[in-house]
Amino acid sequence: MKYALRRQEIAMCSPEYVTEHILKSLNSYFGKQDNKRIMDDISQEKYVSPYGGYYSLLRINDLADDNDMLEFAVIGRQHDVLELCFLGRMKG
């Protein structure tokens, strides 16, 4: 499975943070997990957008910080590509 990350939300992050935390973590996670595991990791817990949309959550380890996890809303899926929206980080 692959991912597509919306740029709108990461524009507020520094380029170093995007590269060292978000992209490295996503590339590692999607490179190591099979499709079934990825689908199983998507939480039944929902994120409610400011516009009233409900989206499932995907939380992955932040490779650059052992104490944090990165949180993404799964805003779409087309074939084997998940469209993700970065929500932020949380203490793991």
Side-chain angles (χ1 to χ4, degrees):
M1 189 162 280
K2 302 172 196 154
Y3 71 90
L5 182 61
R6 282 190 5 179
R7 294 176 190 261
Q8 181 177 352
E9 293 76 19
I10 63 172
M12 294 181 285
C13 301
S14 72
E16 293 81 18
Y17 187 85
V18 172
T19 301
E20 294 300 315
H21 293 262
I22 298 172
L23 295 179
K24 276 189 178 179
S25 298
L26 282 170
N27 289 339
S28 174
Y29 175 79
F30 278 86
K32 292 179 181 177
Q33 307 301 332
D34 62 21
N35 290 358
K36 181 179 180 341
R37 174 63 189 264
I38 292 169
M39 295 309 292
D40 287 347
D41 285 348
I42 295 174
S43 173
Q44 296 303 314
E45 189 178 344
K46 300 291 184 192
Y47 165 74
V48 181
S49 77
Y51 305 106
Y54 289 83
Y55 302 99
S56 297
L57 296 172
L58 176 65
R59 294 181 180 115
I60 64 171
N61 291 326
D62 183 346
L63 293 183
D65 188 339
D66 292 339
N67 296 321
D68 288 343
M69 295 188 80
L70 303 176
E71 189 171 48
F72 301 89
V74 180
I75 58 175
R77 180 179 175 196
Q78 187 170 12
H79 307 291
D80 69 338
V81 178
L82 289 179
E83 186 177 353
L84 303 175
C85 169
F86 178 64
L87 299 176
R89 61 182 213 183
M90 57 186 292
K91 293 292 178 189

